[in-house]
Amino acid sequence: MRKPLVAALFALVIAGAGAAPAVAAPEPVAAVKSTAAVKTSAAVKSTAGTKTSAAPTLQAVNFAGTVSLSNCSGSLIRFPNSADTAPALVLSNGHCLETGFPEPGEVIVNQASSRTFGLLNSAATRVATLRANKVVYSTMTDTDVSIYQLTTTYAAIKSAYGISALTVQDTHPTAGTAITVASGYWKRLYSCNVDGFAYRLKEGDWTWKDSLRYTSACQTIGGTSGSPVIDNATGKVVAVNNTGNEDGETCTENNPCEVDASGNVTVREGINYAQETYQIPACFTTANVLNLSASGCTLPKP
């Protein structure tokens, strides 16, 4: 989670972008350009003269609603019941927090912040600078997430820039789903599938629950931390990108390991992960007010 920029740049120029984990990075240089997204719809097309069962219609995921941070990626998000007049929210990782990594067991709630975010349109052009007034929620315990409240509403953003927030899915993602990791930091899309889920994912001092594992095609790199993981069929956010095993080491920083319910450890060198977000909507009201005591809210509490 602490890979320096020089390593991230190296990972971009080598074939396949290497096995660098999804970690925070400094501000990117202007010479770095986004790459074309890999289309994933080919696998669901029928062959001539052959009948096939109905399959989800895969959408062309783009950058609209993603944001760039000073050291990470993120997204403008809403929940299924969020009001258009509610203060807008930005989702990123806990380890992208401007005040540093939250300690194991630490939960930050309603902390003042004036952080800014670059709002991107579908072509990855920065169209606005959005500003936070607080960190509504942040932790690296059980999950790796930061949620910022902005000084403006969804309606105002839509009216001024024509951009809608991405909706966070409130149901558990499914293995095999075609997904796109959309990095506002690098202006780059990574397409692959949900390979499965890790009962526990341990990295250094932190442990995350029920983490989403990508197939090997998503070789995310430094600076993609906090990127939304988007279901290609629905356009909804199902997870937030956060890490990967770089060197094949066991449970060290930048080398997370999977631990099953029996305590067995599995190391998957070069494989990257995200933290699921389906549990977050239950913790917010329609006005986007955090309520950790709400029925169904399972996020860690301070």
Side-chain angles (χ1 to χ4, degrees), residues 93-141:
N93 282 148
H95 78 260
C96 294
L97 196 65
E98 67 268 38
T99 52
F101 289 16
E103 296 293 330
E106 183 180 9
V107 176
I108 296 166
V109 175
N110 295 326
Q111 175 178 284
S113 174
S114 58
R115 194 167 197 180
T116 59
F117 312 90
L119 178 65
L120 306 185
N121 65 12
S122 60
T125 300
R126 182 171 177 149
V127 297
T129 298
L130 305 176
R131 185 176 295 276
N133 55 24
K134 65 180 176 180
V135 178
V136 179
Y137 185 87
S138 183
T139 192
M140 289 178 66
T141 299

Coordinates of all heavy atoms in Angstrom, one line a residue, residues 93-141:
N93 N -10.2 4.7 -0.5 CA -9.7 3.8 0.5 C -9.4 4.5 1.9 O -9.1 5.7 1.9 CB -8.5 3.1 0.1 CG -8.7 2.0 -0.9 OD1 -7.8 1.8 -1.8 ND2 -9.7 1.3 -0.9
G94 N -9.5 3.7 2.9 CA -9.0 4.2 4.2 C -7.5 4.5 4.2 O -7.1 5.5 4.8
H95 N -6.7 3.8 3.4 CA -5.3 4.0 3.4 C -5.0 5.2 2.5 O -3.8 5.6 2.4 CB -4.5 2.8 3.0 CG -4.5 2.4 1.6 ND1 -5.3 1.4 1.1 CD2 -3.7 2.9 0.6 CE1 -5.0 1.3 -0.2 NE2 -4.1 2.1 -0.6
C96 N -6.0 5.8 1.9 CA -5.8 7.0 1.1 C -6.1 8.3 1.9 O -6.0 9.4 1.4 CB -6.7 7.0 -0.2 SG -6.2 5.7 -1.4
L97 N -6.5 8.1 3.1 CA -6.8 9.3 4.0 C -5.7 10.3 4.1 O -4.5 9.8 4.2 CB -7.2 8.8 5.4 CG -8.0 9.7 6.3 CD1 -9.3 10.0 5.7 CD2 -8.1 9.1 7.7
E98 N -6.0 11.6 4.0 CA -4.9 12.6 3.9 C -4.1 12.6 5.3 O -3.0 13.1 5.3 CB -5.5 13.9 3.6 CG -6.4 14.6 4.6 CD -7.9 14.2 4.3 OE1 -8.1 13.1 3.9 OE2 -8.7 15.1 4.5
T99 N -4.7 12.2 6.3 CA -4.0 12.2 7.7 C -3.3 10.9 7.9 O -2.7 10.8 9.0 CB -5.1 12.4 8.8 OG1 -6.1 11.5 8.6 CG2 -5.6 13.9 8.7
G100 N -3.2 10.0 7.0 CA -2.4 8.8 7.2 C -3.3 7.6 7.4 O -4.5 7.7 7.6
F101 N -2.6 6.4 7.4 CA -3.4 5.1 7.6 C -4.1 5.1 8.9 O -3.4 5.3 10.0 CB -2.4 4.0 7.5 CG -1.8 3.7 6.2 CD1 -1.8 4.6 5.1 CD2 -1.2 2.4 6.0 CE1 -1.3 4.3 3.9 CE2 -0.6 2.1 4.7 CZ -0.7 3.0 3.7
P102 N -5.3 4.8 9.0 CA -6.0 4.5 10.3 C -5.3 3.2 10.9 O -4.9 2.3 10.2 CB -7.4 4.2 9.9 CG -7.6 4.9 8.6 CD -6.3 4.7 7.9
E103 N -5.1 3.2 12.2 CA -4.6 2.1 12.9 C -5.5 0.9 12.9 O -6.8 1.1 12.8 CB -4.2 2.5 14.3 CG -3.1 3.6 14.5 CD -1.8 3.1 14.0 OE1 -1.5 1.9 14.1 OE2 -1.0 3.9 13.5
P104 N -5.0 -0.3 13.1 CA -6.0 -1.4 13.3 C -6.9 -1.2 14.4 O -6.5 -0.8 15.5 CB -5.0 -2.6 13.6 CG -3.7 -2.2 12.9 CD -3.6 -0.7 13.1
G105 N -8.2 -1.4 14.2 CA -9.2 -1.1 15.2 C -9.7 0.3 15.2 O -10.7 0.6 15.9
E106 N -9.1 1.2 14.5 CA -9.5 2.6 14.5 C -10.6 2.9 13.5 O -10.5 2.5 12.4 CB -8.3 3.5 14.2 CG -8.6 5.0 14.3 CD -7.4 5.9 13.9 OE1 -6.3 5.3 13.5 OE2 -7.5 7.1 14.1
V107 N -11.6 3.6 13.9 CA -12.7 4.1 13.1 C -12.8 5.6 13.2 O -13.0 6.1 14.3 CB -14.0 3.4 13.4 CG1 -15.1 3.9 12.6 CG2 -13.9 1.9 13.2
I108 N -12.7 6.3 12.1 CA -12.8 7.7 12.1 C -14.2 8.1 11.6 O -14.7 7.7 10.6 CB -11.7 8.4 11.2 CG1 -10.4 8.0 11.8 CG2 -11.9 9.9 11.1 CD1 -9.2 8.3 10.8
V109 N -14.9 9.0 12.4 CA -16.2 9.4 12.0 C -16.3 11.0 12.1 O -15.9 11.6 13.1 CB -17.3 8.8 13.0 CG1 -18.7 9.4 12.7 CG2 -17.3 7.3 12.8
N110 N -16.9 11.6 11.0 CA -17.2 13.0 11.0 C -16.0 13.9 11.4 O -16.0 14.8 12.2 CB -18.4 13.3 11.9 CG -19.6 12.7 11.4 OD1 -19.8 12.6 10.2 ND2 -20.5 12.3 12.3
Q111 N -14.9 13.6 10.7 CA -13.6 14.3 10.9 C -13.5 15.5 9.9 O -13.7 15.2 8.7 CB -12.4 13.4 10.8 CG -11.1 14.1 10.8 CD -9.9 13.1 10.7 OE1 -9.6 12.4 11.7 NE2 -9.3 13.0 9.6
A112 N -13.3 16.7 10.3 CA -13.2 17.8 9.4 C -12.2 17.6 8.3 O -11.1 17.0 8.5 CB -12.9 19.1 10.2
S113 N -12.5 18.0 7.1 CA -11.6 17.9 5.9 C -12.0 18.9 4.9 O -13.1 19.2 4.7 CB -11.7 16.5 5.3 OG -11.0 16.3 4.1
S114 N -10.9 19.4 4.2 CA -11.2 20.3 3.1 C -10.5 19.8 1.8 O -10.1 20.5 0.9 CB -10.6 21.7 3.4 OG -9.2 21.6 3.7
R115 N -10.4 18.5 1.8 CA -9.7 17.8 0.6 C -10.5 18.1 -0.7 O -11.7 18.2 -0.7 CB -9.7 16.3 0.9 CG -8.7 15.6 -0.1 CD -8.4 14.2 0.4 NE -7.2 13.7 -0.3 CZ -6.7 12.5 -0.2 NH1 -7.3 11.6 0.7 NH2 -5.7 12.1 -0.8
T116 N -9.7 18.2 -1.8 CA -10.3 18.4 -3.1 C -10.2 17.2 -3.9 O -9.3 16.4 -3.8 CB -9.7 19.6 -3.8 OG1 -8.3 19.4 -3.9 CG2 -9.9 20.9 -3.0
F117 N -11.1 17.1 -4.9 CA -11.2 16.0 -5.8 C -11.4 16.5 -7.3 O -12.2 17.4 -7.5 CB -12.3 15.0 -5.5 CG -12.4 14.7 -4.0 CD1 -13.1 15.4 -3.1 CD2 -11.7 13.6 -3.5 CE1 -13.1 15.1 -1.8 CE2 -11.7 13.2 -2.2 CZ -12.4 14.0 -1.3
G118 N -10.7 15.9 -8.2 CA -11.0 16.3 -9.6 C -12.1 15.4 -10.2 O -11.9 14.2 -10.3
L119 N -13.2 16.0 -10.6 CA -14.3 15.2 -11.1 C -14.1 15.0 -12.6 O -13.8 16.0 -13.4 CB -15.6 16.0 -10.9 CG -16.9 15.4 -11.5 CD1 -17.2 14.1 -10.8 CD2 -18.0 16.4 -11.4
L120 N -14.2 13.8 -13.1 CA -13.9 13.4 -14.5 C -15.3 13.1 -15.2 O -16.2 12.6 -14.6 CB -13.0 12.2 -14.6 CG -11.7 12.2 -13.8 CD1 -10.9 11.0 -14.1 CD2 -10.9 13.5 -14.2
N121 N -15.2 13.4 -16.5 CA -16.4 13.1 -17.4 C -16.1 11.7 -18.0 O -15.1 11.1 -17.7 CB -16.7 14.2 -18.4 CG -15.6 14.4 -19.4 OD1 -14.6 13.6 -19.5 ND2 -15.7 15.5 -20.1
S122 N -16.9 11.3 -19.0 CA -16.8 10.0 -19.6 C -15.5 9.8 -20.3 O -15.0 8.7 -20.4 CB -18.0 9.8 -20.5 OG -18.0 10.7 -21.6
A123 N -14.9 10.9 -20.8 CA -13.7 10.9 -21.6 C -12.4 11.1 -20.7 O -11.3 11.2 -21.2 CB -13.7 11.9 -22.7
A124 N -12.6 11.1 -19.4 CA -11.6 11.2 -18.4 C -11.0 12.7 -18.4 O -9.9 12.9 -17.9 CB -10.4 10.2 -18.6
T125 N -11.8 13.6 -18.8 CA -11.4 15.0 -18.8 C -11.9 15.6 -17.4 O -13.0 15.4 -17.0 CB -12.0 15.8 -19.9 OG1 -11.6 15.3 -21.2 CG2 -11.7 17.3 -19.8
R126 N -11.0 16.3 -16.8 CA -11.4 16.9 -15.5 C -12.3 18.1 -15.8 O -11.9 19.1 -16.4 CB -10.1 17.4 -14.7 CG -10.4 18.0 -13.4 CD -9.1 18.2 -12.6 NE -9.3 18.8 -11.3 CZ -8.5 18.6 -10.3 NH1 -7.5 17.8 -10.3 NH2 -8.7 19.3 -9.1
V127 N -13.5 18.1 -15.2 CA -14.4 19.1 -15.5 C -14.7 20.0 -14.3 O -15.4 21.1 -14.5 CB -15.8 18.5 -16.0 CG1 -15.6 17.8 -17.4 CG2 -16.4 17.6 -15.0
A128 N -14.3 19.6 -13.1 CA -14.6 20.4 -11.9 C -13.7 20.0 -10.8 O -13.1 18.8 -10.8 CB -16.1 20.2 -11.5
T129 N -13.5 20.8 -9.8 CA -12.9 20.5 -8.6 C -13.9 20.5 -7.5 O -14.6 21.5 -7.3 CB -11.8 21.5 -8.2 OG1 -10.8 21.5 -9.2 CG2 -11.2 21.2 -6.9
L130 N -14.1 19.4 -6.8 CA -15.1 19.2 -5.8 C -14.3 19.3 -4.4 O -13.2 18.9 -4.3 CB -15.8 17.9 -5.9 CG -16.5 17.6 -7.2 CD1 -17.1 16.2 -7.2 CD2 -17.6 18.7 -7.5
R131 N -15.0 19.8 -3.4 CA -14.3 20.0 -2.1 C -15.2 19.3 -1.0 O -16.4 19.4 -1.0 CB -14.1 21.4 -1.8 CG -13.4 21.7 -0.5 CD -13.1 23.1 -0.2 NE -12.2 23.7 -1.2 CZ -10.9 23.7 -1.2 NH1 -10.3 23.0 -0.2 NH2 -10.2 24.2 -2.2
A132 N -14.4 18.6 -0.1 CA -15.1 18.0 1.1 C -15.2 19.0 2.2 O -14.4 20.0 2.3 CB -14.3 16.8 1.5
N133 N -16.1 18.7 3.1 CA -16.1 19.5 4.4 C -15.9 18.5 5.6 O -15.6 19.0 6.7 CB -17.4 20.3 4.6 CG -18.7 19.4 4.5 OD1 -18.6 18.2 4.7 ND2 -19.8 20.1 4.1
K134 N -16.0 17.2 5.3 CA -15.6 16.3 6.3 C -15.4 14.9 5.8 O -15.9 14.5 4.7 CB -16.7 16.2 7.4 CG -18.0 15.7 7.0 CD -19.0 15.7 8.2 CE -20.4 15.3 7.8 NZ -21.3 15.4 9.0
V135 N -14.7 14.1 6.6 CA -14.6 12.6 6.4 C -15.7 12.0 7.2 O -15.7 12.1 8.4 CB -13.2 12.1 6.8 CG1 -13.2 10.5 6.6 CG2 -12.1 12.7 6.1
V136 N -16.7 11.5 6.5 CA -17.9 11.0 7.2 C -17.5 9.7 7.9 O -17.9 9.4 9.0 CB -19.0 10.7 6.2 CG1 -20.2 10.1 6.9 CG2 -19.5 12.0 5.5
Y137 N -16.7 8.8 7.2 CA -16.3 7.5 7.8 C -15.0 7.1 7.1 O -14.8 7.2 5.9 CB -17.4 6.5 7.5 CG -17.2 5.2 8.1 CD1 -17.7 4.9 9.4 CD2 -16.6 4.2 7.4 CE1 -17.5 3.7 10.0 CE2 -16.3 2.9 8.0 CZ -16.8 2.7 9.3 OH -16.6 1.4 9.8
S138 N -14.2 6.5 8.0 CA -12.9 5.9 7.4 C -12.4 4.9 8.4 O -12.4 5.0 9.6 CB -11.8 7.0 7.3 OG -10.7 6.5 6.7
T139 N -11.9 3.8 7.8 CA -11.3 2.7 8.6 C -10.5 1.8 7.7 O -10.7 1.8 6.5 CB -12.4 1.9 9.4 OG1 -11.7 1.1 10.3 CG2 -13.2 1.0 8.4
M140 N -9.6 1.1 8.3 CA -8.9 0.0 7.6 C -9.1 -1.3 8.4 O -8.4 -2.3 8.3 CB -7.4 0.3 7.5 CG -7.1 1.4 6.5 SD -5.3 1.7 6.4 CE -4.7 0.2 5.7
T141 N -10.2 -1.3 9.2 CA -10.5 -2.5 10.0 C -11.7 -3.2 9.4 O -12.7 -2.6 9.1 CB -10.9 -2.1 11.4 OG1 -9.7 -1.5 12.0 CG2 -11.3 -3.3 12.3

